[in-house]
Each structure stands twice: as structure tokens, then as C-alpha cells.
């Protein structure tokens, strides 16, 4: 082979190799990047975004997530959140459905009373949660559990559930919850 031809081929290789090394599949720019800890799922009619459980103590935490309704004609609602798979023992207290306007979004947080309880809730773990909707198909995701510290230190936690009489339920050991009988009322006064 001629020396000039070899030098030309070598020069071409030196110029082409860097160009080819930048080509390819599955480059970081081709993948969705989540800058936060929470998990996203955009596979259904309702997107589940930034889902996370903020742990207040082992075995308990608050579920936080944002839901985006992709249907611009019909409203939807989160009707139930449950543990599933290996973490089916996790229960989530959703006191009422979370309404999502057509084409809108809604946030599930401690303000909507989403206390999660179960042995699988420990910082650093993942809990498989299924979100059920009024109209759309259910979405199941592996949700990370994070401690209520650092970036999550200010996340509000769900307040203890109140009984019908207004006292926290269950009561603290050694105390009695106020009770009224049907014939008694703390606000009743004699009429005359």
C-alpha cells in the first residue's frame, strides 16, 4: 500500500472516530431526566408525577404526588391508594376522593390526609402503590420512601384523625375522650 494512501486513511480515521463516538442509541439526552427523588408515570390518561412517601417514623408517612388529567373534556378523581405486590400490607388513608379538573392537575399531600402505614415504610425503601381513578385506568408505581429531613423537612405531615367528638382518635393512654349521650349536648341551653 502506498504511504500517501495510508496517511490519508489514518487522517480520515482520526477525523471520523470522534464524530462516530457521539452517535448512538440510549444517549443521556434521549432519556427522561427526573431532577427530584419522586417517581413519574405518564403511561395512562392521568399522569402521576413526583410520587414519594415522606416518612415521619418507621412504619408511617405521608404520600405526596401530583396528578395531571390529560383528558380535556372530562374530570377525574383519585379514589383510592393502596399498597400492592410485596408491599400490599401498606394502607393509605385517603379520606375523600381528590378531584382533578379536565386538563388540570391536583396535588395529593398531607393536607388531603394521605397517611400511609405499614412495615415496608422505611427511609430508603420502595413501596409499590396503586392509584385508582374514577374514570381512568389504575396506575401502579414503585414509590421511594424518604426521611422527613433535608429537602423534605418542611413537608407537612397528616394530623391525627379526629373522632366525631373532635378529640384525637385513638386517645392517649391514661386519658378519657369526652363523650356525650344523645340526650346531652355540650352547647344545649334551656329554652324558656
Amino acid at each position: 500500500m502506498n504511504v500517501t494512501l495510508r496517511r490519508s486513511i489514518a487522517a480520515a480515521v482520526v477525523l471520523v472516530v470522534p464524530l462516530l463516538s457521539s452517535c448512538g442509541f440510549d444517549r443521556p439526552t434521549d432519556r427522561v431526566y427526573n431532577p427530584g427523588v419522586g417517581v413519574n408515570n405518564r403511561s395512562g390518561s392521568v399522569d402521576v408525577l413526583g410520587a414519594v412517601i415522606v416518612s415521619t417514623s418507621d412504619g408511617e408517612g405521608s404520600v405526596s404526588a401530583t396528578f395531571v388529567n390529560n383528558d380535556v373534556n372530562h374530570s377525574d378523581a383519585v379514589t383510592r391508594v393502596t399498597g400492592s405486590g410485596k408491599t400490599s400490607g401498606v394502607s393509605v388513608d385517603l379520606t375523600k376522593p381528590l378531584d382533578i379538573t379536565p386538563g388540570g392537575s391536583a396535588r395529593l399531600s398531607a393536607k388531603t390526609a394521605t397517611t400511609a402505614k405499614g412495615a415496608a415504610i422505611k427511609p430508603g425503601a420502595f413501596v409499590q402503590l396503586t392509584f385508582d381513578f374514577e374514570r381512568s385506568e389504575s396506575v401502579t408505581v414503585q414509590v421511594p420512601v424518604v426521611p422527613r429531613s433535608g429537602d423534605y423537612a418542611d413537608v407537612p405531615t397528616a394530623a391525627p384523625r379526629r373522632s366525631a367528638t373532635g378529640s384525637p382518635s385513638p386517645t392517649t393512654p391514661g386519658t378519657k375522650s369526652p363523650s356525650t349521650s344523645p340526650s346531652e349536648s355540650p352547647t344545649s341551653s334551656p329554652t324558656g
Side-chain angles (χ1 to χ4, degrees), residues 52-64 81 90-94 109-111 113-123 127 129 143-148 155-159:
V52 67
I53 297 176
V54 180
S55 177
T56 52
S57 62
D58 281 358
E60 187 172 327
S62 294
V63 178
S64 177
V81 182
V90 171
S91 65
V92 179
D93 180 19
L94 181 63
S109 65
K111 292 179 183 178
T114 55
T115 302
K117 293 184 179 185
I121 301 175
K122 294 178 183 169
V127 174
L129 291 180
V143 178
V145 180
V146 297
R148 190 171 183 256
V155 172
T157 56

PDB file of all heavy atoms in Angstrom, residues 52-64 81 90-94 109-111 113-123 127 129 143-148 155-159:
ATOM      1  N   VAL A  52     -43.945  10.198  46.081  1.00  0.00           N
ATOM      2  CA  VAL A  52     -42.983   9.900  47.133  1.00  0.00           C
ATOM      3  C   VAL A  52     -43.746   9.710  48.445  1.00  0.00           C
ATOM      4  O   VAL A  52     -44.853  10.232  48.605  1.00  0.00           O
ATOM      5  CB  VAL A  52     -41.933  11.044  47.248  1.00  0.00           C
ATOM      6  CG1 VAL A  52     -42.551  12.331  47.735  1.00  0.00           C
ATOM      7  CG2 VAL A  52     -40.754  10.656  48.104  1.00  0.00           C
ATOM      8  N   ILE A  53     -43.177   8.942  49.353  1.00  0.00           N
ATOM      9  CA  ILE A  53     -43.705   8.851  50.719  1.00  0.00           C
ATOM     10  C   ILE A  53     -42.679   9.504  51.620  1.00  0.00           C
ATOM     11  O   ILE A  53     -41.507   9.108  51.641  1.00  0.00           O
ATOM     12  CB  ILE A  53     -43.934   7.393  51.164  1.00  0.00           C
ATOM     13  CG1 ILE A  53     -44.992   6.725  50.293  1.00  0.00           C
ATOM     14  CG2 ILE A  53     -44.347   7.346  52.635  1.00  0.00           C
ATOM     15  CD1 ILE A  53     -45.211   5.247  50.596  1.00  0.00           C
ATOM     16  N   VAL A  54     -43.103  10.537  52.354  1.00  0.00           N
ATOM     17  CA  VAL A  54     -42.229  11.214  53.315  1.00  0.00           C
ATOM     18  C   VAL A  54     -42.472  10.562  54.660  1.00  0.00           C
ATOM     19  O   VAL A  54     -43.559  10.665  55.230  1.00  0.00           O
ATOM     20  CB  VAL A  54     -42.511  12.729  53.362  1.00  0.00           C
ATOM     21  CG1 VAL A  54     -41.595  13.403  54.377  1.00  0.00           C
ATOM     22  CG2 VAL A  54     -42.340  13.357  51.989  1.00  0.00           C
ATOM     23  N   SER A  55     -41.454   9.851  55.161  1.00  0.00           N
ATOM     24  CA  SER A  55     -41.588   9.071  56.384  1.00  0.00           C
ATOM     25  C   SER A  55     -41.427   9.951  57.615  1.00  0.00           C
ATOM     26  O   SER A  55     -40.446  10.673  57.752  1.00  0.00           O
ATOM     27  CB  SER A  55     -40.536   7.965  56.405  1.00  0.00           C
ATOM     28  OG  SER A  55     -40.598   7.248  57.613  1.00  0.00           O
ATOM     29  N   THR A  56     -42.417   9.882  58.501  1.00  0.00           N
ATOM     30  CA  THR A  56     -42.341  10.597  59.766  1.00  0.00           C
ATOM     31  C   THR A  56     -41.719   9.721  60.840  1.00  0.00           C
ATOM     32  O   THR A  56     -41.115  10.211  61.777  1.00  0.00           O
ATOM     33  CB  THR A  56     -43.749  11.044  60.206  1.00  0.00           C
ATOM     34  OG1 THR A  56     -44.618   9.911  60.176  1.00  0.00           O
ATOM     35  CG2 THR A  56     -44.290  12.106  59.255  1.00  0.00           C
ATOM     36  N   SER A  57     -41.878   8.412  60.695  1.00  0.00           N
ATOM     37  CA  SER A  57     -41.244   7.424  61.565  1.00  0.00           C
ATOM     38  C   SER A  57     -41.366   6.082  60.847  1.00  0.00           C
ATOM     39  O   SER A  57     -42.159   5.949  59.922  1.00  0.00           O
ATOM     40  CB  SER A  57     -41.932   7.367  62.935  1.00  0.00           C
ATOM     41  OG  SER A  57     -43.272   6.974  62.797  1.00  0.00           O
ATOM     42  N   ASP A  58     -40.566   5.112  61.258  1.00  0.00           N
ATOM     43  CA  ASP A  58     -40.664   3.805  60.613  1.00  0.00           C
ATOM     44  C   ASP A  58     -42.095   3.302  60.716  1.00  0.00           C
ATOM     45  O   ASP A  58     -42.696   3.319  61.787  1.00  0.00           O
ATOM     46  CB  ASP A  58     -39.714   2.797  61.272  1.00  0.00           C
ATOM     47  CG  ASP A  58     -38.273   2.963  60.802  1.00  0.00           C
ATOM     48  OD1 ASP A  58     -38.025   3.830  59.931  1.00  0.00           O
ATOM     49  OD2 ASP A  58     -37.405   2.228  61.294  1.00  0.00           O
ATOM     50  N   GLY A  59     -42.633   2.882  59.589  1.00  0.00           N
ATOM     51  CA  GLY A  59     -43.984   2.352  59.558  1.00  0.00           C
ATOM     52  C   GLY A  59     -45.057   3.370  59.259  1.00  0.00           C
ATOM     53  O   GLY A  59     -46.228   3.026  59.148  1.00  0.00           O
ATOM     54  N   GLU A  60     -44.685   4.653  59.106  1.00  0.00           N
ATOM     55  CA  GLU A  60     -45.691   5.681  58.852  1.00  0.00           C
ATOM     56  C   GLU A  60     -45.109   6.817  58.026  1.00  0.00           C
ATOM     57  O   GLU A  60     -43.935   7.163  58.154  1.00  0.00           O
ATOM     58  CB  GLU A  60     -46.235   6.233  60.166  1.00  0.00           C
ATOM     59  CG  GLU A  60     -47.398   7.182  59.991  1.00  0.00           C
ATOM     60  CD  GLU A  60     -48.038   7.559  61.317  1.00  0.00           C
ATOM     61  OE1 GLU A  60     -48.064   6.723  62.233  1.00  0.00           O
ATOM     62  OE2 GLU A  60     -48.508   8.700  61.412  1.00  0.00           O
ATOM     63  N   GLY A  61     -45.945   7.397  57.181  1.00  0.00           N
ATOM     64  CA  GLY A  61     -45.506   8.533  56.376  1.00  0.00           C
ATOM     65  C   GLY A  61     -46.675   9.173  55.662  1.00  0.00           C
ATOM     66  O   GLY A  61     -47.823   8.761  55.810  1.00  0.00           O
ATOM     67  N   SER A  62     -46.369  10.200  54.881  1.00  0.00           N
ATOM     68  CA  SER A  62     -47.378  10.907  54.104  1.00  0.00           C
ATOM     69  C   SER A  62     -47.092  10.719  52.623  1.00  0.00           C
ATOM     70  O   SER A  62     -45.959  10.904  52.186  1.00  0.00           O
ATOM     71  CB  SER A  62     -47.368  12.401  54.431  1.00  0.00           C
ATOM     72  OG  SER A  62     -47.776  12.625  55.749  1.00  0.00           O
ATOM     73  N   VAL A  63     -48.110  10.361  51.847  1.00  0.00           N
ATOM     74  CA  VAL A  63     -47.960  10.187  50.399  1.00  0.00           C
ATOM     75  C   VAL A  63     -48.113  11.550  49.744  1.00  0.00           C
ATOM     76  O   VAL A  63     -49.029  12.309  50.061  1.00  0.00           O
ATOM     77  CB  VAL A  63     -49.036   9.228  49.831  1.00  0.00           C
ATOM     78  CG1 VAL A  63     -48.901   9.099  48.326  1.00  0.00           C
ATOM     79  CG2 VAL A  63     -48.936   7.877  50.499  1.00  0.00           C
ATOM     80  N   SER A  64     -47.203  11.851  48.844  1.00  0.00           N
ATOM     81  CA  SER A  64     -47.254  13.103  48.103  1.00  0.00           C
ATOM     82  C   SER A  64     -47.103  12.787  46.625  1.00  0.00           C
ATOM     83  O   SER A  64     -46.224  12.029  46.239  1.00  0.00           O
ATOM     84  CB  SER A  64     -46.125  14.026  48.582  1.00  0.00           C
ATOM     85  OG  SER A  64     -46.123  15.218  47.836  1.00  0.00           O
ATOM     86  N   VAL A  81     -55.849   4.759  47.133  1.00  0.00           N
ATOM     87  CA  VAL A  81     -54.415   4.479  47.040  1.00  0.00           C
ATOM     88  C   VAL A  81     -54.161   3.278  47.927  1.00  0.00           C
ATOM     89  O   VAL A  81     -54.545   3.269  49.102  1.00  0.00           O
ATOM     90  CB  VAL A  81     -53.567   5.679  47.501  1.00  0.00           C
ATOM     91  CG1 VAL A  81     -52.086   5.378  47.348  1.00  0.00           C
ATOM     92  CG2 VAL A  81     -53.937   6.952  46.742  1.00  0.00           C
ATOM     93  N   VAL A  90     -49.296  -2.290  53.070  1.00  0.00           N
ATOM     94  CA  VAL A  90     -49.313  -0.838  53.292  1.00  0.00           C
ATOM     95  C   VAL A  90     -50.722  -0.324  53.023  1.00  0.00           C
ATOM     96  O   VAL A  90     -51.328  -0.629  52.004  1.00  0.00           O
ATOM     97  CB  VAL A  90     -48.293  -0.121  52.371  1.00  0.00           C
ATOM     98  CG1 VAL A  90     -48.464   1.385  52.442  1.00  0.00           C
ATOM     99  CG2 VAL A  90     -46.881  -0.511  52.750  1.00  0.00           C
ATOM    100  N   SER A  91     -51.247   0.447  53.969  1.00  0.00           N
ATOM    101  CA  SER A  91     -52.565   1.063  53.793  1.00  0.00           C
ATOM    102  C   SER A  91     -52.392   2.574  53.719  1.00  0.00           C
ATOM    103  O   SER A  91     -51.525   3.143  54.367  1.00  0.00           O
ATOM    104  CB  SER A  91     -53.498   0.687  54.942  1.00  0.00           C
ATOM    105  OG  SER A  91     -53.004   1.228  56.155  1.00  0.00           O
ATOM    106  N   VAL A  92     -53.216   3.205  52.911  1.00  0.00           N
ATOM    107  CA  VAL A  92     -53.170   4.659  52.749  1.00  0.00           C
ATOM    108  C   VAL A  92     -54.550   5.201  53.060  1.00  0.00           C
ATOM    109  O   VAL A  92     -55.546   4.753  52.500  1.00  0.00           O
ATOM    110  CB  VAL A  92     -52.737   5.055  51.324  1.00  0.00           C
ATOM    111  CG1 VAL A  92     -52.724   6.568  51.180  1.00  0.00           C
ATOM    112  CG2 VAL A  92     -51.367   4.480  51.003  1.00  0.00           C
ATOM    113  N   ASP A  93     -54.597   6.162  53.963  1.00  0.00           N
ATOM    114  CA  ASP A  93     -55.848   6.775  54.382  1.00  0.00           C
ATOM    115  C   ASP A  93     -56.139   7.971  53.477  1.00  0.00           C
ATOM    116  O   ASP A  93     -55.589   9.045  53.649  1.00  0.00           O
ATOM    117  CB  ASP A  93     -55.728   7.223  55.843  1.00  0.00           C
ATOM    118  CG  ASP A  93     -56.995   7.867  56.362  1.00  0.00           C
ATOM    119  OD1 ASP A  93     -58.060   7.661  55.760  1.00  0.00           O
ATOM    120  OD2 ASP A  93     -56.917   8.590  57.373  1.00  0.00           O
ATOM    121  N   LEU A  94     -57.005   7.764  52.508  1.00  0.00           N
ATOM    122  CA  LEU A  94     -57.468   8.838  51.633  1.00  0.00           C
ATOM    123  C   LEU A  94     -58.895   9.140  52.070  1.00  0.00           C
ATOM    124  O   LEU A  94     -59.824   8.388  51.764  1.00  0.00           O
ATOM    125  CB  LEU A  94     -57.414   8.388  50.168  1.00  0.00           C
ATOM    126  CG  LEU A  94     -57.838   9.397  49.116  1.00  0.00           C
ATOM    127  CD1 LEU A  94     -56.914  10.617  49.115  1.00  0.00           C
ATOM    128  CD2 LEU A  94     -57.821   8.754  47.742  1.00  0.00           C
ATOM    129  N   SER A 109     -51.347  15.357  49.101  1.00  0.00           N
ATOM    130  CA  SER A 109     -50.329  15.634  50.118  1.00  0.00           C
ATOM    131  C   SER A 109     -50.933  15.441  51.496  1.00  0.00           C
ATOM    132  O   SER A 109     -52.076  15.015  51.622  1.00  0.00           O
ATOM    133  CB  SER A 109     -49.819  17.071  49.975  1.00  0.00           C
ATOM    134  OG  SER A 109     -50.858  17.994  50.256  1.00  0.00           O
ATOM    135  N   ALA A 110     -50.166  15.777  52.499  1.00  0.00           N
ATOM    136  CA  ALA A 110     -50.651  15.622  53.871  1.00  0.00           C
ATOM    137  C   ALA A 110     -51.896  16.461  54.114  1.00  0.00           C
ATOM    138  O   ALA A 110     -52.727  16.118  54.940  1.00  0.00           O
ATOM    139  CB  ALA A 110     -49.557  16.020  54.852  1.00  0.00           C
ATOM    140  N   LYS A 111     -52.059  17.560  53.374  1.00  0.00           N
ATOM    141  CA  LYS A 111     -53.236  18.407  53.544  1.00  0.00           C
ATOM    142  C   LYS A 111     -54.513  17.677  53.143  1.00  0.00           C
ATOM    143  O   LYS A 111     -55.592  18.031  53.561  1.00  0.00           O
ATOM    144  CB  LYS A 111     -53.080  19.687  52.734  1.00  0.00           C
ATOM    145  CG  LYS A 111     -51.983  20.581  53.275  1.00  0.00           C
ATOM    146  CD  LYS A 111     -51.844  21.824  52.435  1.00  0.00           C
ATOM    147  CE  LYS A 111     -50.696  22.659  52.957  1.00  0.00           C
ATOM    148  NZ  LYS A 111     -50.487  23.853  52.147  1.00  0.00           N
ATOM    149  N   ALA A 113     -54.925  14.515  53.815  1.00  0.00           N
ATOM    150  CA  ALA A 113     -54.965  13.375  54.741  1.00  0.00           C
ATOM    151  C   ALA A 113     -54.583  12.071  54.069  1.00  0.00           C
ATOM    152  O   ALA A 113     -55.389  11.167  53.923  1.00  0.00           O
ATOM    153  CB  ALA A 113     -56.309  13.277  55.417  1.00  0.00           C
ATOM    154  N   THR A 114     -53.358  11.970  53.644  1.00  0.00           N
ATOM    155  CA  THR A 114     -52.887  10.759  52.966  1.00  0.00           C
ATOM    156  C   THR A 114     -51.836  10.055  53.805  1.00  0.00           C
ATOM    157  O   THR A 114     -50.703   9.896  53.391  1.00  0.00           O
ATOM    158  CB  THR A 114     -52.314  11.102  51.593  1.00  0.00           C
ATOM    159  OG1 THR A 114     -51.297  12.085  51.786  1.00  0.00           O
ATOM    160  CG2 THR A 114     -53.371  11.615  50.660  1.00  0.00           C
ATOM    161  N   THR A 115     -52.199   9.639  54.978  1.00  0.00           N
ATOM    162  CA  THR A 115     -51.284   8.932  55.852  1.00  0.00           C
ATOM    163  C   THR A 115     -51.134   7.492  55.379  1.00  0.00           C
ATOM    164  O   THR A 115     -52.121   6.802  55.155  1.00  0.00           O
ATOM    165  CB  THR A 115     -51.795   8.941  57.303  1.00  0.00           C
ATOM    166  OG1 THR A 115     -51.957  10.291  57.714  1.00  0.00           O
ATOM    167  CG2 THR A 115     -50.819   8.244  58.230  1.00  0.00           C
ATOM    168  N   ALA A 116     -49.889   7.062  55.213  1.00  0.00           N
ATOM    169  CA  ALA A 116     -49.595   5.683  54.828  1.00  0.00           C
ATOM    170  C   ALA A 116     -49.022   4.958  56.035  1.00  0.00           C
ATOM    171  O   ALA A 116     -48.203   5.516  56.762  1.00  0.00           O
ATOM    172  CB  ALA A 116     -48.601   5.659  53.677  1.00  0.00           C
ATOM    173  N   LYS A 117     -49.463   3.725  56.232  1.00  0.00           N
ATOM    174  CA  LYS A 117     -48.966   2.931  57.351  1.00  0.00           C
ATOM    175  C   LYS A 117     -48.632   1.533  56.867  1.00  0.00           C
ATOM    176  O   LYS A 117     -49.323   0.981  56.016  1.00  0.00           O
ATOM    177  CB  LYS A 117     -50.002   2.858  58.466  1.00  0.00           C
ATOM    178  CG  LYS A 117     -50.243   4.197  59.134  1.00  0.00           C
ATOM    179  CD  LYS A 117     -51.185   4.077  60.290  1.00  0.00           C
ATOM    180  CE  LYS A 117     -51.357   5.452  60.931  1.00  0.00           C
ATOM    181  NZ  LYS A 117     -52.154   5.404  62.124  1.00  0.00           N
ATOM    182  N   GLY A 118     -47.558   0.972  57.418  1.00  0.00           N
ATOM    183  CA  GLY A 118     -47.170  -0.390  57.082  1.00  0.00           C
ATOM    184  C   GLY A 118     -45.697  -0.612  57.364  1.00  0.00           C
ATOM    185  O   GLY A 118     -44.894   0.325  57.342  1.00  0.00           O
ATOM    186  N   ALA A 119     -45.330  -1.836  57.620  1.00  0.00           N
ATOM    187  CA  ALA A 119     -43.952  -2.182  57.977  1.00  0.00           C
ATOM    188  C   ALA A 119     -42.959  -1.846  56.866  1.00  0.00           C
ATOM    189  O   ALA A 119     -41.786  -1.614  57.134  1.00  0.00           O
ATOM    190  CB  ALA A 119     -43.861  -3.663  58.328  1.00  0.00           C
ATOM    191  N   ALA A 120     -43.401  -1.800  55.613  1.00  0.00           N
ATOM    192  CA  ALA A 120     -42.498  -1.538  54.486  1.00  0.00           C
ATOM    193  C   ALA A 120     -42.072  -0.081  54.395  1.00  0.00           C
ATOM    194  O   ALA A 120     -41.150   0.254  53.645  1.00  0.00           O
ATOM    195  CB  ALA A 120     -43.173  -1.952  53.179  1.00  0.00           C
ATOM    196  N   ILE A 121     -42.703   0.801  55.159  1.00  0.00           N
ATOM    197  CA  ILE A 121     -42.389   2.235  55.081  1.00  0.00           C
ATOM    198  C   ILE A 121     -41.194   2.539  55.971  1.00  0.00           C
ATOM    199  O   ILE A 121     -41.319   2.686  57.184  1.00  0.00           O
ATOM    200  CB  ILE A 121     -43.608   3.093  55.459  1.00  0.00           C
ATOM    201  CG1 ILE A 121     -44.761   2.785  54.514  1.00  0.00           C
ATOM    202  CG2 ILE A 121     -43.256   4.575  55.429  1.00  0.00           C
ATOM    203  CD1 ILE A 121     -46.053   3.469  54.865  1.00  0.00           C
ATOM    204  N   LYS A 122     -40.038   2.610  55.332  1.00  0.00           N
ATOM    205  CA  LYS A 122     -38.771   2.938  55.999  1.00  0.00           C
ATOM    206  C   LYS A 122     -37.943   3.762  55.028  1.00  0.00           C
ATOM    207  O   LYS A 122     -37.879   3.426  53.842  1.00  0.00           O
ATOM    208  CB  LYS A 122     -38.006   1.673  56.361  1.00  0.00           C
ATOM    209  CG  LYS A 122     -38.686   0.818  57.388  1.00  0.00           C
ATOM    210  CD  LYS A 122     -37.905  -0.434  57.681  1.00  0.00           C
ATOM    211  CE  LYS A 122     -38.687  -1.283  58.671  1.00  0.00           C
ATOM    212  NZ  LYS A 122     -38.173  -2.602  58.825  1.00  0.00           N
ATOM    213  N   PRO A 123     -37.316   4.833  55.480  1.00  0.00           N
ATOM    214  CA  PRO A 123     -36.494   5.631  54.574  1.00  0.00           C
ATOM    215  C   PRO A 123     -35.490   4.767  53.811  1.00  0.00           C
ATOM    216  O   PRO A 123     -34.851   3.887  54.379  1.00  0.00           O
ATOM    217  CB  PRO A 123     -35.790   6.619  55.500  1.00  0.00           C
ATOM    218  CG  PRO A 123     -36.743   6.775  56.645  1.00  0.00           C
ATOM    219  CD  PRO A 123     -37.331   5.398  56.827  1.00  0.00           C
ATOM    220  N   VAL A 127     -41.942   1.423  48.030  1.00  0.00           N
ATOM    221  CA  VAL A 127     -43.250   0.837  48.293  1.00  0.00           C
ATOM    222  C   VAL A 127     -44.040   0.859  46.990  1.00  0.00           C
ATOM    223  O   VAL A 127     -44.132   1.896  46.337  1.00  0.00           O
ATOM    224  CB  VAL A 127     -44.003   1.628  49.387  1.00  0.00           C
ATOM    225  CG1 VAL A 127     -45.420   1.117  49.548  1.00  0.00           C
ATOM    226  CG2 VAL A 127     -43.246   1.568  50.705  1.00  0.00           C
ATOM    227  N   LEU A 129     -47.207   1.264  45.131  1.00  0.00           N
ATOM    228  CA  LEU A 129     -48.534   1.822  45.364  1.00  0.00           C
ATOM    229  C   LEU A 129     -49.356   1.772  44.077  1.00  0.00           C
ATOM    230  O   LEU A 129     -48.829   1.995  42.992  1.00  0.00           O
ATOM    231  CB  LEU A 129     -48.452   3.282  45.826  1.00  0.00           C
ATOM    232  CG  LEU A 129     -47.879   3.562  47.203  1.00  0.00           C
ATOM    233  CD1 LEU A 129     -47.889   5.061  47.489  1.00  0.00           C
ATOM    234  CD2 LEU A 129     -48.634   2.815  48.291  1.00  0.00           C
ATOM    235  N   VAL A 143     -42.755   3.598  44.641  1.00  0.00           N
ATOM    236  CA  VAL A 143     -42.588   4.917  45.237  1.00  0.00           C
ATOM    237  C   VAL A 143     -41.457   4.895  46.263  1.00  0.00           C
ATOM    238  O   VAL A 143     -41.458   4.048  47.159  1.00  0.00           O
ATOM    239  CB  VAL A 143     -43.907   5.364  45.904  1.00  0.00           C
ATOM    240  CG1 VAL A 143     -43.756   6.709  46.574  1.00  0.00           C
ATOM    241  CG2 VAL A 143     -45.028   5.402  44.877  1.00  0.00           C
ATOM    242  N   PRO A 144     -40.490   5.823  46.155  1.00  0.00           N
ATOM    243  CA  PRO A 144     -39.419   5.862  47.152  1.00  0.00           C
ATOM    244  C   PRO A 144     -39.919   6.427  48.485  1.00  0.00           C
ATOM    245  O   PRO A 144     -40.823   7.269  48.513  1.00  0.00           O
ATOM    246  CB  PRO A 144     -38.383   6.795  46.518  1.00  0.00           C
ATOM    247  CG  PRO A 144     -39.164   7.657  45.587  1.00  0.00           C
ATOM    248  CD  PRO A 144     -40.316   6.827  45.106  1.00  0.00           C
ATOM    249  N   VAL A 145     -39.336   5.945  49.560  1.00  0.00           N
ATOM    250  CA  VAL A 145     -39.629   6.460  50.898  1.00  0.00           C
ATOM    251  C   VAL A 145     -38.426   7.299  51.327  1.00  0.00           C
ATOM    252  O   VAL A 145     -37.294   6.823  51.298  1.00  0.00           O
ATOM    253  CB  VAL A 145     -39.862   5.320  51.911  1.00  0.00           C
ATOM    254  CG1 VAL A 145     -40.155   5.887  53.299  1.00  0.00           C
ATOM    255  CG2 VAL A 145     -40.988   4.408  51.454  1.00  0.00           C
ATOM    256  N   VAL A 146     -38.687   8.561  51.674  1.00  0.00           N
ATOM    257  CA  VAL A 146     -37.613   9.471  52.074  1.00  0.00           C
ATOM    258  C   VAL A 146     -37.859   9.946  53.502  1.00  0.00           C
ATOM    259  O   VAL A 146     -39.005  10.033  53.940  1.00  0.00           O
ATOM    260  CB  VAL A 146     -37.520  10.682  51.121  1.00  0.00           C
ATOM    261  CG1 VAL A 146     -37.165  10.238  49.710  1.00  0.00           C
ATOM    262  CG2 VAL A 146     -38.795  11.499  51.113  1.00  0.00           C
ATOM    263  N   PRO A 147     -36.799  10.252  54.251  1.00  0.00           N
ATOM    264  CA  PRO A 147     -36.991  10.753  55.609  1.00  0.00           C
ATOM    265  C   PRO A 147     -37.476  12.199  55.597  1.00  0.00           C
ATOM    266  O   PRO A 147     -37.220  12.942  54.651  1.00  0.00           O
ATOM    267  CB  PRO A 147     -35.593  10.649  56.232  1.00  0.00           C
ATOM    268  CG  PRO A 147     -34.667  10.727  55.066  1.00  0.00           C
ATOM    269  CD  PRO A 147     -35.389  10.098  53.906  1.00  0.00           C
ATOM    270  N   ARG A 148     -38.173  12.586  56.624  1.00  0.00           N
ATOM    271  CA  ARG A 148     -38.638  13.972  56.753  1.00  0.00           C
ATOM    272  C   ARG A 148     -37.482  14.828  57.280  1.00  0.00           C
ATOM    273  O   ARG A 148     -37.466  15.270  58.422  1.00  0.00           O
ATOM    274  CB  ARG A 148     -39.835  14.045  57.686  1.00  0.00           C
ATOM    275  CG  ARG A 148     -40.501  15.405  57.679  1.00  0.00           C
ATOM    276  CD  ARG A 148     -41.797  15.367  58.451  1.00  0.00           C
ATOM    277  NE  ARG A 148     -42.449  16.643  58.376  1.00  0.00           N
ATOM    278  CZ  ARG A 148     -42.472  17.527  59.362  1.00  0.00           C
ATOM    279  NH1 ARG A 148     -41.892  17.254  60.508  1.00  0.00           N
ATOM    280  NH2 ARG A 148     -43.090  18.670  59.205  1.00  0.00           N
ATOM    281  N   VAL A 155     -42.043  19.357  54.753  1.00  0.00           N
ATOM    282  CA  VAL A 155     -43.255  18.728  54.222  1.00  0.00           C
ATOM    283  C   VAL A 155     -44.219  18.518  55.378  1.00  0.00           C
ATOM    284  O   VAL A 155     -43.875  17.890  56.378  1.00  0.00           O
ATOM    285  CB  VAL A 155     -42.927  17.377  53.543  1.00  0.00           C
ATOM    286  CG1 VAL A 155     -44.208  16.634  53.178  1.00  0.00           C
ATOM    287  CG2 VAL A 155     -42.063  17.601  52.322  1.00  0.00           C
ATOM    288  N   PRO A 156     -45.448  19.069  55.265  1.00  0.00           N
ATOM    289  CA  PRO A 156     -46.403  18.870  56.361  1.00  0.00           C
ATOM    290  C   PRO A 156     -46.822  17.411  56.435  1.00  0.00           C
ATOM    291  O   PRO A 156     -46.927  16.738  55.421  1.00  0.00           O
ATOM    292  CB  PRO A 156     -47.585  19.770  55.974  1.00  0.00           C
ATOM    293  CG  PRO A 156     -47.446  20.016  54.523  1.00  0.00           C
ATOM    294  CD  PRO A 156     -46.004  19.839  54.172  1.00  0.00           C
ATOM    295  N   THR A 157     -47.027  16.949  57.649  1.00  0.00           N
ATOM    296  CA  THR A 157     -47.477  15.570  57.834  1.00  0.00           C
ATOM    297  C   THR A 157     -48.941  15.594  58.215  1.00  0.00           C
ATOM    298  O   THR A 157     -49.462  16.591  58.696  1.00  0.00           O
ATOM    299  CB  THR A 157     -46.657  14.860  58.928  1.00  0.00           C
ATOM    300  OG1 THR A 157     -46.744  15.635  60.121  1.00  0.00           O
ATOM    301  CG2 THR A 157     -45.215  14.715  58.516  1.00  0.00           C
ATOM    302  N   ALA A 158     -49.595  14.499  57.976  1.00  0.00           N
ATOM    303  CA  ALA A 158     -51.025  14.410  58.276  1.00  0.00           C
ATOM    304  C   ALA A 158     -51.253  14.503  59.769  1.00  0.00           C
ATOM    305  O   ALA A 158     -50.510  13.917  60.559  1.00  0.00           O
ATOM    306  CB  ALA A 158     -51.589  13.108  57.736  1.00  0.00           C
ATOM    307  N   ALA A 159     -52.265  15.256  60.153  1.00  0.00           N
ATOM    308  CA  ALA A 159     -52.617  15.393  61.563  1.00  0.00           C
ATOM    309  C   ALA A 159     -53.352  14.140  62.006  1.00  0.00           C
ATOM    310  O   ALA A 159     -53.922  13.431  61.187  1.00  0.00           O
ATOM    311  CB  ALA A 159     -53.512  16.610  61.754  1.00  0.00           C
TER     312      ALA A 159
END
